[in-house]
Amino acid sequence: MTRIFKTKSFVRFARKEGISDQSLCEAVQKAESGLVDADLGGGVIKQRIARPGEGASGGYRGIVLFRSGDKAFFVYGFPKSERENIEEDELRAFKKLAGEMLPLSDDKLKQLLQSSSLTEVRCDA
């Protein structure tokens, strides 16, 4: 099963916007079943995140560092109404970050969780 994490900055964004962990779980479940909104390459996807109490179409977009069956890191989010897409330089930075984050060992993930750099998302089975 894919482990799902969110960065400290994504935690702040999700809290401010009222995005639940369940919405993040649903976004990753869709990606796992092949329903990826945009595969940006290099382990980076753009995925819809449902707006609380509404559907995903008018909601948020999340930039996720994603390796199917392994790990998903929510690193950036934005309301679809505020911006259409990310810039080329942002994409390069996210791809570089994916190259660093996706291969992390369980020990290193544990350290990042203990330091609160990452938060693990728990999904209901």
Side-chain angles (χ1 to χ4, degrees):
M1 192 171 110
T2 301
R3 291 180 73 186
I4 305 170
F5 303 92
K6 48 191 178 179
T7 61
K8 199 181 269 191
S9 61
F10 193 91
V11 167
R12 283 191 297 271
F13 167 76
R15 189 180 308 127
K16 178 177 155 264
E17 299 294 339
I19 297 169
S20 70
D21 281 358
Q22 189 57 41
S23 292
L24 303 181
C25 293
E26 289 166 11
V28 171
Q29 286 166 352
K30 286 180 182 171
E32 284 291 351
S33 60
L35 299 172
V36 172
D37 292 314
D39 186 340
L40 305 177
V44 181
I45 64 171
K46 182 170 67 171
Q47 197 70 342
R48 290 180 179 168
I49 303 168
R51 189 177 287 277
E54 299 177 33
S57 61
Y60 303 95
R61 297 295 176 267
I63 300 298
V64 187
L65 313 180
F66 179 72
R67 183 177 289 152
S68 184
D70 186 22
K71 299 180 198 87
F73 297 91
F74 283 85
V75 294
Y76 181 69
F78 55 96
K80 188 177 176 217
S81 60
E82 285 185 18
R83 70 186 291 190
E84 193 58 35
N85 218 331
I86 58 171
E87 303 295 327
E88 269 306 310
D89 60 331
E90 292 173 304
L91 179 56
R92 278 192 299 277
F94 288 133
K95 285 181 178 181
K96 183 176 188 293
L97 189 59
E100 296 167 3
M101 303 278 296
L102 290 171
L104 288 176
S105 68
D106 286 344
D107 285 344
K108 187 61 181 164
L109 285 169
K110 191 175 180 180
Q111 289 174 6
L112 292 168
L113 290 165
Q114 287 172 340
S115 72
S116 299
S117 297
L118 290 177
T119 302
E120 189 157 6
V121 175
R122 300 284 177 199
C123 298
D124 300 332

